Amino acid sequence: MFKKILIANRGEIALRVMAACREMGIATVGVYSEVDKSALHTRTADEAVFIGASEPAESYLNVERIIDAAKQTGAEAIHPGYGFLAENADFARACQDNGIVFIGPPAKVIRDFGNKTVARKMMVDGGVPVVPGMTESNLDAKRVAAHAEEIGYPVLVKAAAGGGGKGMRIVNAPSELAAALESAASEAKAAFGDGSVYLEKYITNPRHVEIQVLADTHGNIIHLFERECSIQRRHQKIIEETPSTAVNDELRQKMGEAAVQAAATAGYVNAGTVEFILDEDGCFYFLEANTRLQVEHPITEMITGIDLVRRQIEIAAGLPLDLKQEDVTARGHAIECRIYAEDPANDFFPSPGKIVCLKEPTGPGIRNDCGVYQGFTVPVEYDPILSKLVVHAENREAAIERMKKALADYVVIGIKTPTQFLADIIDSQPFREGNTLTSFIDTYFPSWEPTLPDKDLAALAFIADGMAGKRVADAVAEGPAEIPLPWQTLGHWRL
Ligand code: ADP
């Protein structure tokens, strides 16, 4: 087993990986940029190496500096987390060339899955169902129009190099096609440096259901069931749950087998996720594969009891999987809410800044994978995820109640977070009914305004003004106007 691992990432995911390392007796090396000198991951790592200026290109995306940091500290392996270099085939290759183990799949697999049209072709050849559409990009406009007619409108223009929902356009009629191709291509070019686009059938009223797989270097591949990730804003997930309300045992088995088939076809090694789109008739189609640890991996860990990061490290060290498919069982229901520094009442606009007060929820079945602390300034430079709030309970109903409680207990002051918005979704009738299509937010929450007075401020007043003995619920009901501002109550809250 490795003695030392470098984590080429920041925030909650860097801490998540460090936690697994610590349990395994592996020393950790953190890397940090200028703005992250006092970030939680920098402070938590056994040792930390400064890798450059705050702009990602100068630090967390800088292959050379990260490899140097590993060499300098004697780290034998690098865990890339998610985002940044996690799905960069050149980085995986650079690790290998420098005698460092990349904790993830081989560079070739990352490259193949990194391009949606290459991946689609590979999956078609491997007999995995894919969304009807093209397996090549950049054909001339006439041929693209002919394809669109063939698969039938509505169609979806997608960027071959796509990610994060960028470079995607729904096209409802032939007259809109040319403009959509052009704008998707230019967005893709700006975001990925590659303007290749292609067409897929637009599946109406779909769900996003993905399957977690684990594959070792000895040819063993298993799946760890599904995650339903249909609650999205701007094609980006914000609430995930498992099991999916749309997947029964038979479908689960079919999708699991398709995911294992996808992994086998690609020569997959390590933890990966095969994303499918599931239509109203229960037909599912390959969407893409993510060749890394997913943001939402904890919900799978909660229901299976399997530590995915530990498994990633063991697989990278060459150990065989000591789990067979039939050994993997699920218990209960898990839900994750992503807590970003953003304002749900203002189109999810990022809200970086100083966290004046932070009170994390705790209690039975509650896990908060958090990358920040009270007093930390959330930088503008990076993805503003603060934490992932995960609950596990005996069944979905109990998990919903547990999440409501956890969200209500979550206090973040100084920056905007969507805890109230998430609680409103979780508590809504359509969510409770499991009516979770990817259109959920547009349909049920097209514009959202906070209905409660500022819960966080009320809670802080309660914490600060303990002598008043006010219950949080009463303080919330009274509203912020009734509550002394924290700096009026206690001088030292003015950090
Ligand atoms: P990205 O790599 O940018 O995340 P994906 O291919 O994973 O792109 O798609 C992101 C989301 O966009 C999906 O979860 C789904 O909500 C929607 N989507 C993608 N392809 C289709 C499709 N063919 N039909 C309907 N919705 C789609």
Side-chain angles (χ1 to χ4, degrees):
M1 186 40 70
F2 308 116
K3 291 197 173 58
K4 198 188 262 191
I5 291 177
L6 181 143
I7 296 104
N9 216 302
R10 65 181 302 283
E12 66 85 19
I13 197 60
L15 283 133
R16 167 68 190 92
V17 176
M18 286 175 200
C21 291
R22 193 142 298 161
E23 286 182 15
M24 296 173 79
I26 299 169
T28 57
V29 180
V31 291
Y32 64 96
S33 69
E34 185 70 38
V35 76
D36 272 342
K37 276 187 173 150
S38 57
L40 194 54
H41 76 278
T42 312
R43 294 177 170 190
T44 306
D46 293 320
E47 52 192 310
V49 181
F50 175 70
I51 48 166
S54 305
E55 304 84 71
E58 295 297 319
S59 46
Y60 300 107
L61 285 174
N62 193 312
V63 173
E64 207 173 305
R65 294 210 192 119
I66 290 171
I67 300 271
D68 279 352
K71 285 184 171 168
Q72 179 194 321
T73 53
E76 306 138 278
I78 296 183
H79 195 301
Y82 57 72
F84 293 125
L85 295 169
E87 289 178 290
N88 184 316
D90 294 336
F91 179 60
R93 169 83 57 207
C95 289
Q96 194 188 342
D97 292 347
N98 284 278
I100 299 163
V101 176
F102 175 78
I103 302 176
K108 181 182 181 311
V109 177
I110 300 177
R111 186 160 290 127
D112 288 347
F113 274 132
N115 185 297
K116 289 188 202 274
T117 47
V118 174
R120 282 166 60 81
K121 183 154 192 329
M122 186 165 69
M123 292 300 110
V124 171
D125 293 346
V128 178
V130 305
V131 185
M134 297 161 54
T135 48
E136 300 164 72
S137 48
N138 282 354
L139 298 176
D140 63 72
K142 257 197 193 148
R143 285 178 65 189
V144 175
H147 266 286
E149 292 296 339
E150 205 180 300
I151 54 181
Y153 287 88
V155 295
L156 190 61
V157 177
K158 289 175 85 167
K166 293 207 182 77
M168 234 186 265
R169 299 286 183 280
I170 300 169
V171 185
N172 290 302
S175 59
E176 301 165 9
L177 184 61
L181 285 170
E182 206 177 300
S183 76
S186 75
E187 188 175 306
K189 177 88 185 142
F192 315 113
D194 175 358
S196 317
V197 293
Y198 71 101
L199 287 188
E200 267 178 26
K201 171 89 186 143
Y202 182 70
I203 310 288
T204 43
N205 297 329
R207 291 168 182 257
H208 173 119
V209 178
E210 60 187 31
I211 304 282
Q212 176 71 52
V213 297
L214 282 176
D216 67 14
T217 50
H218 306 267
N220 303 304
I221 311 177
I222 58 170
H223 71 85
L224 278 68
F225 314 126
E226 82 279 9
R227 289 185 290 258
E228 155 102 44
C229 312
S230 301
I231 309 279
Q232 306 177 348
R233 49 133 178 69
R234 291 197 217 102
H235 300 296
Q236 288 172 356
K237 307 158 185 168
I238 51 168
I239 299 176
E240 301 96 345
E241 66 178 309
T242 184
S244 162
T245 55
V247 177
N248 60 22
D249 286 344
E250 189 192 338
L251 182 57
R252 180 168 300 118
Q253 191 177 340
K254 272 203 229 157
M255 293 183 81
E257 283 166 5
V260 168
Q261 177 66 23
T265 302
Y268 204 87
V269 177
N270 214 287
T273 295
V274 185
E275 296 188 339
F276 294 103
I277 198 142
L278 178 65
D279 74 11
E280 291 167 299
D281 305 323
C283 295
F284 61 91
Y285 307 97
F286 171 85
L287 204 53
E288 66 167 349
N290 288 321
T291 56
R292 54 168 160 85
L293 191 65
Q294 292 278 82
V295 176
E296 58 274 18
H297 76 275
I299 55 173
T300 298
E301 299 186 320
M302 299 300 258
I303 63 155
T304 61
I306 293 171
D307 181 332
L308 287 167
V309 179
R310 171 188 280 264
R311 296 287 169 174
Q312 284 194 294
I313 295 170
E314 288 174 353
I315 289 169
L319 298 180
L321 267 177
D322 58 3
L323 282 172
K324 298 215 163 18
Q325 189 62 57
E326 55 271 24
D327 299 333
V328 185
T329 54
R331 194 179 68 80
H333 198 96
I335 305 177
E336 171 181 283
C337 283
R338 299 190 187 190
I339 312 296
Y340 286 96
E342 66 180 20
D343 184 1
N346 182 20
D347 205 18
F348 305 98
F349 205 72
S351 172
K354 185 161 184 164
I355 300 173
V356 178
C357 177
L358 175 69
K359 183 178 158 279
E360 294 181 51
T362 57
I366 296 176
R367 161 177 172 183
N368 192 41
D369 281 19
C370 185
V372 296
Y373 56 89
Q374 181 168 305
F376 179 66
T377 299
V378 180
V380 294
E381 284 84 355
Y382 315 116
D383 182 50
I385 195 162
L386 305 177
S387 84
K388 296 167 343 198
L389 179 58
V390 183
V391 299
H392 183 219
E394 277 165 47
N395 54 48
R396 189 168 189 267
E397 238 164 65
I400 287 174
E401 295 309 321
R402 188 159 275 173
M403 181 57 90
K404 265 178 64 188
K405 177 223 175 268
L407 285 166
D409 286 354
Y410 205 147
V411 178
V412 186
I413 295 175
I415 56 176
K416 303 258 187 218
T417 63
T419 52
Q420 228 190 87
F421 174 63
L422 293 163
D424 285 354
I425 292 180
I426 295 279
D427 199 23
S428 69
Q429 202 55 32
F431 186 85
R432 285 181 179 275
E433 284 166 8
N435 199 6
T436 52
L437 306 177
T438 57
S439 54
F440 185 94
I441 289 182
D442 288 342
T443 308
Y444 302 109
F445 292 87
S447 62
W448 175 87
E449 292 286 336
T451 46
L452 287 171
D454 196 325
K455 164 194 71 118
D456 289 349
L457 198 54
L460 178 62
F462 170 73
I463 297 162
D465 189 16
M467 54 278 184
K470 218 175 263 172
R471 291 170 58 238
V472 176
D474 294 338
V476 169
E478 278 173 31
E482 304 298 321
I483 297 160
L485 293 170
W487 45 90
Q488 292 168 335
T489 317
L490 282 177
H492 67 260
W493 283 104
R494 200 198 316 229
L495 295 168

